[in-house]
């Protein structure tokens, strides 16, 4: 027999029914669909920003704008090979005499 | 949504809230959210009554699933920030939960139900509170009739023990 439990649940039911939030017809109103143009506008805005950054980006400096750092004086190619080498750093007793 | 469904939902609203409250462990705020989300599912036609069971059975199944989804989401939100916010809102929304606790006898039964295993408590709620048959309860809970019968018998015995040992029992 459930005579002891049933009234307890009945009491709980009444107590909770009294605290139930009121019924509103809006409960059954479907939420408005999200506007479909919103993602398109967002995409266009991102695209426009990208284009603006591309167009307004600072121009890359050309090589001609850099100052010459390693330019040497113009002279004849391999000219240094024609000048005789010297052995002035060798000690005198080590001077080699070729026959 | 057709007007017959709307009328059925309206007439079941108090019982649906009671079931939602049970599924949310007596938390009235969460129960309202769960019920609202379940209504939204129906309104947006994400769930549809197909007539294979009683309307109440189907609707309570929807509420139960919605409560489970909400419970899973809530577990992810249980961060420190979430707890702080919860305590803040608790202070400013004195609650239906507290209002409900004023009724001592109801509070005792609710406390005893909370101590039962979830399936046993669900079965007892559906049978005694919602007046469903064991077969209908098994459809709501998506378990076999035999299993529900077992939860029902064990639940009743355990609930009686708990109510006898509870401090307010005379």
């Amino acid at each position: 027999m459930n005579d002891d439990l049933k009234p307890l649940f009945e009491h709980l039911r009444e107590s909770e029914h009294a605290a139930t939030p009121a019924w509103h017809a809006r409960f059954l109103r479907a939420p408005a669909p999200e506007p479909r143009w919103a993602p398109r506008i967002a995409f266009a805005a991102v695209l426009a920003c990208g284009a603006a950054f591309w167009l307004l980006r600072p121009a890359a400096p050309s090589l001609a704008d850099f100052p010459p750092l390693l330019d040497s004086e113009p002279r004849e190619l391999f000219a240094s090979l024609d000048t005789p080498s010297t052995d002035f750093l060798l000690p005198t007793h080590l001077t080699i005499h070729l026959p | 949504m057709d007007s017959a469904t709307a009328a059925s939902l309206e007439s079941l609203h108090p019982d649906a809230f009671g079931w939602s409250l049970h599924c949310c462990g007596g938390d009235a705020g969460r129960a309202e959210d769960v019920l609202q989300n379940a209504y939204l599912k129906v309104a947006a036609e994400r769930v549809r009554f197909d007539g294979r069971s009683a309307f109440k059975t189907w609707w309570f199944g929807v509420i139960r699933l919605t409560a489970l989804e909400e419970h899973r989401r809530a577990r992810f939100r249980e961060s420190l920030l979430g707890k702080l916010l919860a305590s803040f809102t608790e202070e400013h929304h004195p609650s239906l939960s507290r209002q409900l606790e004023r009724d001592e006898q109801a509070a005792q039964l609710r406390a005893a139900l909370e101590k039962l295993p979830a399936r046993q408590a669900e079965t007892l709620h559906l049978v005694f509170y919602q007046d469903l048959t064991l077969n209908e309860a098994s459809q709501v809970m998506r378990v076999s009739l035999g299993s529900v019968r077992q939860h029902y018998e064990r639940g009743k015995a355990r609930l009686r023990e708990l109510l006898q040992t509870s401090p307010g029992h005379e």
Side-chain angles (χ1 to χ4, degrees), chain A residues 17-64:
Chain A
H17 277 198
T20 302
W23 168 264
H24 289 292
R26 68 179 158 79
F27 286 154
L28 301 181
R29 213 169 294 146
E34 284 188 17
R36 292 191 174 184
W37 43 263
R40 290 180 192 170
I41 286 186
F43 179 70
V46 169
L47 215 61
C49 285
F53 274 117
W54 175 260
L55 292 174
L56 300 176
R57 75 192 193 285
S62 75
L63 281 178

Side-chain angles (χ1 to χ4, degrees), chain B residues 108 112 115 158-169:
Chain B
Q108 229 174 54
K115 287 180 189 159
R158 180 84 185 111
L159 184 63
R160 283 194 181 104
E161 277 173 29
L162 286 168
L163 289 173
Q164 273 167 7
T165 54
S166 66
H169 183 79

Side-chain angles (χ1 to χ4, degrees), chain B residues 85-98:
Chain B
L85 282 175
S87 64
F88 178 77
T89 49
E90 176 69 17
E91 276 174 20
H92 291 265
H93 286 98
S95 42
L96 200 47
S97 307
R98 269 188 218 153

